[in-house]
Amino acid sequence: MNNEIKNEQIELIPDKDGFLFEVEHKMYLIGQGYILVLFSALLLLLFYLADFSLTNIYEHGRLGRLVIVFSIPGYFYYIIKTLYYLLIQKRKVVKFYETYILFPSSFSIVIEDTKKMYRIKWIMLYEAKGESLYGIKKLFLILLFFVPNIIIISSSVFMFYRKFYQDNLVFISKTNEKTGGIAYGLLNKKEQIKVKLYFEKYLNINIDELEQRLILLPNE
């Protein structure tokens, strides 16, 4: 990586507003893929139980009618929304400034408030705050969602990027809040170099030396 950085001769020079560079917000597309794969699996199971008959689903009481009226149209809405983003809409980006990182929803991570970072393989935190999964009292959540998450996330990543791991960067603030959102493993080589330089310069953190975890975060 050091040779690549040297060869690229990339410099992080801020503009008058402190803006440095931006990278594609790939976690957004992963999130859409996650929803579509989950939706597809649930609908496929439902149709299988109903012998692949819309009539059988509709006649299965109020729940069946709700599926016909809301779930199926919602499923096609997400398909159209994802295709529109892939083919027409301008790609969402994460913007890096000298003092903070800005996400498309205007959520930001303030650099001076960050005390630690991790590289997490399977986690769906992005543009939001979230609690880490740790301790026996949360073990049932892992048992409940571990297998489907592996299938869903792996399928989503394979479909869009042909990679098995996301390598999501998770940030721990000084108040122990957990935030995520940068799918470092899915960035192209030049974007990875910029992100690596950014954290080395503004947080004195080497991404290559970050502790890597599968799902769990330690109790800070």
Side-chain angles (χ1 to χ4, degrees):
M1 179 65 79
N2 290 334
N3 290 333
E4 292 170 355
I5 293 175
K6 185 176 180 180
N7 292 336
E8 289 285 348
Q9 294 182 341
I10 294 176
E11 294 185 24
L12 302 183
I13 302 175
D15 64 11
K16 62 180 181 178
D17 297 319
F19 172 75
L20 295 161
F21 65 94
E22 62 186 33
V23 299
E24 183 182 344
H25 186 35
K26 295 180 183 289
M27 282 299 293
Y28 174 80
L29 192 55
I30 290 296
Q32 294 300 305
Y34 186 100
I35 293 172
L36 283 177
V37 174
L38 178 60
F39 226 145
S40 298
L42 292 175
L43 286 179
L44 182 61
L45 176 62
L46 181 62
F47 272 89
Y48 173 77
L49 295 175
D51 294 325
F52 297 97
S53 171
L54 285 174
T55 301
N56 289 344
I57 295 176
Y58 187 81
E59 293 178 350
H60 193 66
R62 182 179 298 175
L63 180 60
R65 290 190 288 273
L66 287 174
V67 170
I68 298 295
V69 175
F70 295 105
S71 298
I72 294 178
Y75 175 66
F76 284 105
Y77 164 76
Y78 268 103
I79 291 178
I80 294 172
K81 181 181 179 182
T82 302
L83 289 175
Y84 178 78
Y85 179 76
L86 281 170
L87 303 175
I88 300 175
Q89 186 177 353
K90 183 179 178 181
R91 295 301 174 93
K92 297 179 181 293
V93 295
V94 179
K95 296 183 177 182
F96 289 76
Y97 291 80
E98 289 184 291
T99 57
Y100 63 96
I101 302 170
L102 183 64
F103 292 89
S105 64
S106 297
F107 173 79
S108 63
I109 294 174
V110 180
I111 294 301
E112 66 177 10
D113 291 339
T114 301
K115 72 172 183 179
K116 199 168 185 179
M117 292 172 58
Y118 290 93
R119 289 172 70 166
I120 308 298
K121 295 301 183 183
W122 286 315
I123 196 166
M124 293 304 296
L125 290 178
Y126 66 100
E127 294 188 54
K129 297 178 181 178
E131 293 298 324
S132 62
L133 295 176
Y134 55 84
I136 299 299
K137 66 180 181 179
K138 295 185 179 180
L139 182 60
F140 77 95
L141 290 176
I142 302 171
L143 296 177
L144 180 63
F145 294 110
F146 186 77
V147 174
N149 267 323
I150 291 176
I151 297 173
I152 292 167
I153 296 175
S154 299
S155 299
S156 300
V157 174
F158 178 79
M159 284 189 298
F160 295 116
Y161 300 100
R162 298 182 180 180
K163 292 187 177 183
F164 189 72
Y165 291 133
Q166 294 183 83
D167 236 359
N168 187 28
L169 298 182
V170 175
F171 303 82
I172 311 297
S173 72
K174 293 178 181 178
T175 56
N176 291 329
E177 292 177 327
K178 285 80 177 176
T179 57
I182 301 175
Y184 181 74
L186 300 180
L187 301 177
N188 61 46
K189 196 167 295 184
K190 188 171 183 178
E191 288 175 329
Q192 285 187 350
I193 292 171
K194 288 182 177 180
V195 171
K196 185 173 186 297
L197 285 174
Y198 178 84
F199 289 113
E200 286 179 350
K201 180 176 181 179
Y202 293 99
L203 268 178
N204 196 29
I205 288 177
N206 186 339
I207 289 181
D208 295 336
E209 297 176 355
L210 287 178
E211 181 178 350
Q212 299 190 37
R213 288 177 168 261
L214 186 63
I215 297 175
L216 301 179
L217 285 174
N219 189 1
E220 296 291 329

